[in-house]
Amino acid sequence: MKLADTTTVQTVIAQILAAQESSRDDGGVETIPLERALGRCLARDLTADRHQPPFNRSAMDGIAIARADLPAAGPQNTLDCPEEAWCFQSLGILAAGQDPGPLAHPGFSGNTSQAGRTPSESEARPSPGAVPLKRAAGTRDNKQAPPLPPCVEIMTGAAVPPGFDTVIRYEDLQRSPDSQAAGKNPPSPEPGPEAGPVRWICRGSIPARGANIHPRGADYQKGAVILEGGQIITSSHIAVLASCGYTQVPLRTLPSITIVATGDELVSPDTTPLDHQIRASNHLSIAGELTSWGFPPGEVRLCPDDPQALTETIRRGLKESRVLILTGAVSKGAYDHIPGILEGLGVEIRIHGVSQRPGKPLLVGRARKAGRADSLVLGLPGNPVSALINLRRYLIPALALQSIPGSSGRIWAPGPASPMSSWAALGFPLRLAREITFEPPLTYYPGVSLEMYQGELTLVPVRGNGSGDFFHLSKTAGFIVMPKDRTRLEAGSLVQFYPWGV
Ligand SMILES: Nc1nc2c(c(=O)[nH]1)N[C@H]1C(S)=C(S)[C@@H](COP(=O)(O)OP(=O)(O)OC[C@H]3O[C@@H](n4cnc5c(N)ncnc54)[C@H](O)[C@@H]3O)O[C@H]1N2
Ligand code: MOO
């Protein structure tokens, strides 16, 4: 196929998606330790091994009470309590991680070995051991005083003991005897025998039943799908997976990627070049951009413009990888051997030349392999700006798509819970701070920086010296799309922005 420049951007996207889809290995699953799963794509649905929370979890430091122990009429005076207050007698103190069974409500008749279970309605009803307070206000006859309703001092994260159903915060309580103020940290220890029983006094209103308790199974139930296959794993997913004991996670395998940079003028960056040579940089910037979106290349090679060496390097790259990225030697020069070599190796060249700037000589090919998934071949121009912009514009969104199961043939959009990077891979609209004009009838990708203007993130064009000027690219946050049919984009207009990865 001869280098042309009539192919549209839309055709390139369609061809890359088609080639990429055919190079996809749907069976590719690997099991990886959870700590290394961040940013990777989950291969299948994972389910919960227990409820979350696994027990009725106190959400506050304070006391657990049984709401039904209290008479509906309102606070009563009771033994040693001031007027118009609720009083509770402490059975003990419970820290997170302690078995709440021994501190079950005296009236609880269930099995305390299953202390974390959600109390049933009958279990949560007033218990016979807790006598409702019936004494008249002002009465101070200790002998006739009925026992106080029980409570348990409880810390945030502790399992609410069976038979209790409401937590009152320390801030809303006073302790009696008041040798230690309520709400102190560390919480007040049980007094010695001489100090008498600890009572907690609540002068305000008692919160509703269930207050300050995070009920067992409220977030998810045992057996529920906690994470769907196809999800890109973020730090919050790591928390969910860890809580269900998934220390090893099934992940979709990453596409194998080889980068080959070609050119006789190129020397390795660790070499001092002769005056007419340059240090190669594209292979590293391309590898960096791929890695920053979660697709690290397996192999990165430099190769001179020697047809035999190139043929061997490309043959090897096709064999070893699903995506072969070449940079340089795709234009019309006497030493631009790449298209010919690809054709010689049986690669179908689907696109060579796109009506865009930069990146006009872009090449897209597909290598069919008997009995195996195809390989996608991307021939990026050697000019550093063209190489990086084309990679970001076409391959990064296609690779992001590849990691999503079942996305075949559809315009892809990440799921609602997808991380920002999934959305950003596709580009998103932002406002242009300054006008851009461009006359040629080509899709144009000018570099832009980001600036805050009146509280809004805006795009500012960055001037450069063409597609060989990689220095100006280092001052950009990404680039935008100026469609082929536009010669002017006004300041304030919304444009599609493609950020670089980080
Ligand atoms: N007669 C024509 N000449 C050119 C055309 C055309 O249509 N007709 N297209 C121009 C455009 S547009 C581009 S883009 C370049 C792309 O050419 P190649 O892909 O063949 O790239 P090279 O010639 O090999 O290199 C171009 C430029 O980039 C430097 N380079 C190459 N590789 C690297 C690397 N790995 N790291 C850093 N820099 C690299 C190379 O030294 C050259 O300066 O062709 C135009 N010509
Ligand atoms: O299309 Mo080229 O990338 O302008 O130099």
Side-chain angles (χ1 to χ4, degrees), residues 357-361 383 386 467:
R357 186 178 297 165
K360 188 187 77 179
N383 271 328
S386 316
S467 49

Side-chain angles (χ1 to χ4, degrees), residues 126-280:
S127 51
V131 180
L133 311 179
K134 288 205 175 109
R135 297 171 68 244
T139 309
R140 281 271 176 256
D141 183 351
N142 287 0
K143 284 192 192 109
Q144 291 171 19
L148 294 177
C151 73
V152 170
E153 246 182 282
I154 191 163
M155 304 304 117
T156 304
V160 177
F164 293 94
D165 56 28
T166 305
V167 169
I168 310 176
R169 305 178 311 163
Y170 275 133
E171 299 86 309
D172 303 326
L173 296 165
Q174 275 180 318
R175 188 181 190 275
S176 169
D178 55 4
S179 52
Q180 311 242 353
K184 270 201 173 163
N185 202 8
S188 51
E190 284 294 288
E194 66 287 345
V198 173
R199 294 182 190 106
W200 290 94
I201 302 162
C202 178
R203 286 201 161 77
S205 57
I206 301 286
R209 180 171 185 261
N212 300 319
I213 293 177
H214 187 184
R216 178 175 191 253
D219 302 352
Y220 55 77
Q221 302 268 314
K222 180 178 177 176
V225 172
I226 47 162
L227 212 52
E228 284 176 22
Q231 180 69 53
I232 304 293
I233 295 176
T234 66
S235 47
S236 62
H237 299 134
I238 298 267
V240 175
L241 293 171
S243 76
C244 285
Y246 287 105
T247 54
Q248 303 280 325
V249 216
L251 302 173
R252 292 182 69 81
T253 47
L254 291 171
S256 47
I257 302 177
T258 295
I259 301 171
V260 179
T262 67
D264 283 345
E265 75 280 27
L266 306 178
V267 297
S268 167
D270 60 4
T271 309
T272 304
L274 299 174
D275 285 352
H276 52 275
Q277 294 178 321
I278 61 159
R279 291 191 180 98

Side-chain angles (χ1 to χ4, degrees), residues 3 124 153 195 276 333 416 422 438 445:
L3 173 58
E153 246 182 282
H276 52 275
S422 300
F438 183 76
Y445 298 121

Side-chain angles (χ1 to χ4, degrees), residues 123-465:
E123 286 166 3
R125 263 188 239 124
S127 51
V131 180
L133 311 179
K134 288 205 175 109
R135 297 171 68 244
T139 309
R140 281 271 176 256
D141 183 351
N142 287 0
K143 284 192 192 109
Q144 291 171 19
L148 294 177
C151 73
V152 170
E153 246 182 282
I154 191 163
M155 304 304 117
T156 304
V160 177
F164 293 94
D165 56 28
T166 305
V167 169
I168 310 176
R169 305 178 311 163
Y170 275 133
E171 299 86 309
D172 303 326
L173 296 165
Q174 275 180 318
R175 188 181 190 275
S176 169
D178 55 4
S179 52
Q180 311 242 353
K184 270 201 173 163
N185 202 8
S188 51
E190 284 294 288
E194 66 287 345
V198 173
R199 294 182 190 106
W200 290 94
I201 302 162
C202 178
R203 286 201 161 77
S205 57
I206 301 286
R209 180 171 185 261
N212 300 319
I213 293 177
H214 187 184
R216 178 175 191 253
D219 302 352
Y220 55 77
Q221 302 268 314
K222 180 178 177 176
V225 172
I226 47 162
L227 212 52
E228 284 176 22
Q231 180 69 53
I232 304 293
I233 295 176
T234 66
S235 47
S236 62
H237 299 134
I238 298 267
V240 175
L241 293 171
S243 76
C244 285
Y246 287 105
T247 54
Q248 303 280 325
V249 216
L251 302 173
R252 292 182 69 81
T253 47
L254 291 171
S256 47
I257 302 177
T258 295
I259 301 171
V260 179
T262 67
D264 283 345
E265 75 280 27
L266 306 178
V267 297
S268 167
D270 60 4
T271 309
T272 304
L274 299 174
D275 285 352
H276 52 275
Q277 294 178 321
I278 61 159
R279 291 191 180 98
S281 57
N282 285 358
H283 59 307
L284 298 180
S285 59
I286 290 169
E289 189 64 13
L290 284 164
T291 305
S292 68
W293 292 100
F295 302 102
E299 289 287 333
V300 180
R301 299 187 188 122
L302 293 180
C303 189
D305 286 322
D306 166 51
Q308 208 177 338
L310 271 173
T311 305
E312 274 323 299
T313 307
I314 291 174
R315 196 198 303 274
R316 204 168 125 197
L318 288 173
K319 194 170 161 218
E320 291 169 355
S321 40
R322 290 282 149 74
V323 182
L324 175 62
I325 301 173
L326 307 163
T327 169
V330 291
S331 187
K332 283 190 184 293
Y335 304 101
D336 292 342
H337 301 302
I338 294 284
I341 289 172
L342 289 174
E343 278 177 330
L345 288 170
V347 174
E348 282 173 30
I349 297 180
R350 309 303 291 255
I351 286 174
H352 190 196
V354 181
S355 59
Q356 60 177 8
R357 186 178 297 165
K360 188 187 77 179
L362 177 69
L363 181 151
V364 179
R366 190 162 160 177
R368 307 222 183 240
K369 300 186 208 165
R372 293 172 58 202
D374 296 353
S375 288
L376 165 68
V377 181
L378 200 64
L380 299 172
N383 271 328
V385 176
S386 316
L388 213 50
I389 287 183
N390 276 281
L391 177 92
R392 174 64 187 90
R393 174 68 182 91
Y394 302 116
L395 189 66
I396 298 296
L399 289 175
L401 184 156
Q402 192 216 28
S403 65
I404 309 298
S407 58
S408 169
R410 285 192 272 123
I411 299 295
W412 171 70
S418 288
M420 194 57 204
S421 60
S422 300
W423 291 95
L426 305 182
F428 52 89
L430 282 181
R431 243 170 253 290
L432 202 55
R434 278 186 227 133
E435 168 187 277
I436 296 181
T437 56
F438 183 76
E439 298 294 336
L442 303 169
T443 302
Y444 180 42
Y445 298 121
V448 290
S449 63
L450 285 168
E451 270 179 30
M452 279 306 250
Y453 177 71
Q454 295 182 339
E456 191 184 339
L457 204 55
T458 57
L459 303 165
V460 181
V462 176
R463 285 194 176 283
N465 298 313

